[in-house]
Amino acid sequence: MGTISVDGVTRRLGSTTALRDVSFTVDSGEHVGLFGPNGAGKTSLMQLLSTLASPDDGRIRIDGDEVTPDATAVRAKLGVVSHRPMVYGTLTARENLRLHARLRTVDAERVERVLEDVNLRTHASTRVEDFSHGMTKRLSIARAVLHDPTVLLLDEPYAGLDQRSAMDLQRILTRFDDRTVVIATHDLERAVDDCDRALVLVDGTLERTVSLTDLDRHSFETEYLEAVGRSDLQ
Ligand SMILES: Nc1ncnc2c1ncn2[C@@H]1O[C@H](COP(=O)(O)OP(=O)(O)OP(=O)(O)O)[C@@H](O)[C@H]1O
């Protein structure tokens, strides 16, 4: 469960080809990182995987079912954490999750379990507008996993977090390790810990696939820089 197949995907946005004939597969339970300089096509690919848009050419499938904006069954398998927190500031953490649980027909007990999973139980009655950035991110993850998806899509989960909050988040994410995970990030260091494999996009093309098993951070940086053909890290 949670196998992703991306086959010859092209995505055009106005006069830009954001993705060009991109193909790869992600095995069930595998954790894959999407890397690339600004404008490489990471967000465009995450949007397609999230059912927010359709490719102009090619196909994306999850467990054999095509991923399109009207694919309700596919969407039920996906948990999405975008860089914008999709939570209400005037509601408490628990109210946010209960509201979402009702929309997803998830029982209230699961809300309490997920609050525990993301270490927010003691702040469950606090309004989200009083949350730190790290707490809001943890609540976004709780919202994404509430319906127990098999695939987790994380777009820049560490952006804007200080070192400690990023480490907390990284530890929390290990609790969802049994799922298939696709994570778009510029954080090469954390990716080496989080991911089994890295896909490096450059100008909308899948430039390189790197196995991260047994690779240290320095070796991955070298591979990455070779792939993007630049001397600076993004
Ligand atoms: N709505 C849009 N209309 C036209 N072009 C777009 C649009 N959104 C993105 N693009 C272009 O598509 C290309 C891929 O952008 P995308 O946001 O997917 O890259 P990215 O790898 O996520 O970049 P970043 O690291 O900056 O978030 C870029 O050239 C970008 O300018």
Side-chain angles (χ1 to χ4, degrees), residues 56-194:
D56 292 288
D57 289 307
R59 280 211 173 85
I60 301 182
R61 292 190 181 88
I62 293 181
D63 296 329
D65 295 326
E66 189 158 356
V67 178
T68 59
D70 53 2
T72 317
V74 170
R75 205 169 306 129
K77 294 182 179 184
L78 298 174
V80 180
V81 180
S82 73
H83 36 235
R84 286 209 190 88
M86 292 181 287
V87 288
Y88 297 100
T90 52
L91 300 182
T92 68
R94 183 178 280 120
E95 286 167 348
N96 263 285
L97 293 184
R98 285 199 173 161
L99 174 65
H100 193 60
R102 272 203 296 278
L103 297 174
R104 291 276 199 174
T105 56
V106 170
D107 62 52
E109 240 172 63
R110 171 98 184 133
V111 169
E112 299 307 313
R113 208 158 61 239
V114 169
L115 280 167
E116 189 83 53
D117 283 343
V118 299
N119 296 353
L120 281 179
R121 198 70 189 267
T122 51
H123 299 284
S125 303
T126 304
R127 280 187 187 205
V128 173
E129 61 197 7
D130 296 325
F131 270 14
S132 69
H133 188 52
M135 289 161 77
T136 307
K137 187 63 81 171
R138 283 176 1 228
L139 182 61
S140 299
I141 289 166
R143 182 189 181 279
V145 299
L146 201 56
H147 59 293
D148 204 14
T150 48
V151 177
L152 211 45
L153 304 173
L154 305 161
D155 197 0
E156 287 291 357
Y158 301 116
L161 296 185
D162 61 38
Q163 191 70 5
R164 174 144 182 229
S165 303
M167 281 167 67
D168 284 347
L169 185 66
Q170 194 173 22
R171 207 171 315 117
I172 282 164
L173 285 172
T174 62
R175 296 179 186 160
F176 308 105
D177 263 357
D178 55 334
R179 287 149 228 256
T180 306
V181 176
V182 179
I183 174 167
T185 179
H186 289 284
D187 193 330
L188 304 188
E189 186 177 353
R190 255 169 252 290
V192 172
D193 296 336
D194 290 350

Side-chain angles (χ1 to χ4, degrees), residues 35-37 200-202 207-208 223-232 234:
F35 299 88
V200 183
L201 289 167
V202 180
E207 190 66 31
R208 191 172 293 205
E223 286 257 10
Y224 175 82
L225 290 172
E226 271 176 27
V228 303
R230 297 165 59 149
S231 58
D232 58 333
Q234 295 299 307

